[in-house]
Amino acid sequence: RVLFRSEEVAVHKCVVGTSEERKRKFSRIGVGSLDAYCQVTGEKLPSVVLVIDNYGPLPTMFPTLDVFINNLISMGSNYGIYFVATCNALNALGYKLSNYIKSAYTLQLVEKSDYASVVGKTDGLVPENSVGRGLAKLERVVEFQTVLPVKADSDAARTKTIRENGLRAASAWHGKKAKGIIVLPDEVFAENYYSGKDIFLGLNTQDAQPVTLPFTKHYIAVLGNQPYGIDQMLDLIVHQPCSCFRFII
């Protein structure tokens, strides 16, 4: 799924939640990696790939992002969680984060000396002056040629074809699908969640599932330091169509 900057909280919760869940699973059977867990249990867990386009300006916009990404890269691969980032400038990842990167790719740069900043020692290797040519940091530095995903006459046509191929593949696939990233709606209307049994209070911020209040007690206290919020909650409770309950305010 593609998410935008306004949904960074959802991404954080998804990745951290997956990491913590796998950490608990691995700990219970005494293994420390995804491969070992799958071999011991026979359970197949999918890899999770977090891709961030144009990483450079994000740490300024979100000051805690660097800590999150550093932790993800240093430990994530053990849990089958991987990180991919694109950058439009040298040193955009920062020194500390760059030390964790095992594979790096760069297209053509202005200065020949800049290649070493991305892929390390090149021994004089410079990519040929052709569109899509670059250097890759693998076990050693190699030259590569970028391959376009589909044949098309323009970027717009290529994007259209990629989208059509994706939709076609999705409709043809009837097996298990990737777990979606949960994003809370901008507005929540209680009438969409009435069950007629329990009192609907809102949505859980972790999984966007309804939070309900069963009337197993004789009394319910609504507390808060904002009078308007208390009024809103009381209004929500007493106007729900639960005929088996009697409210006294």
Side-chain angles (χ1 to χ4, degrees), residues 171-215:
S171 62
W173 175 253
H174 301 293
K176 187 176 181 179
K177 296 184 178 180
K179 184 179 179 181
I181 295 178
I182 298 171
V183 179
L184 290 174
D186 294 331
E187 294 181 318
V188 179
F189 298 99
E191 57 264 27
N192 297 330
Y193 298 91
Y194 290 148
S195 66
K197 297 179 180 179
D198 298 332
I199 295 297
F200 171 72
L201 300 178
L203 297 181
N204 188 319
T205 58
Q206 299 295 323
D207 56 14
Q209 293 300 305
V211 176
T212 59
L213 180 67
F215 269 91

Side-chain angles (χ1 to χ4, degrees), residues 51-57 83-89 92-93:
V51 182
I52 299 181
D53 186 28
N54 191 18
Y55 180 86
F83 171 70
V84 178
T86 67
C87 301
N88 295 329
L93 288 176

Side-chain angles (χ1 to χ4, degrees), residues 13-57:
K13 287 181 178 179
C14 176
V15 175
V16 172
T18 301
S19 176
E20 291 298 323
E21 178 186 6
R22 294 186 176 185
K23 185 177 181 180
R24 288 192 295 270
K25 283 187 172 184
F26 295 3
S27 177
R28 280 198 292 266
I29 62 173
V31 298
S33 69
L34 178 64
D35 289 341
Y37 178 83
C38 294
Q39 290 175 6
V40 171
T41 65
E43 180 182 0
K44 295 182 179 179
L45 294 178
S47 295
V48 177
V49 182
L50 174 62
V51 182
I52 299 181
D53 186 28
N54 191 18
Y55 180 86

Side-chain angles (χ1 to χ4, degrees), residues 83-85 93 98 100-105 118-119 136-139:
F83 171 70
V84 178
L93 288 176
S98 297
Y100 289 119
I101 303 297
K102 296 181 179 179
S103 300
Y105 303 82
V118 181
V119 298
K137 174 188 175 183
L138 304 175
E139 293 181 358

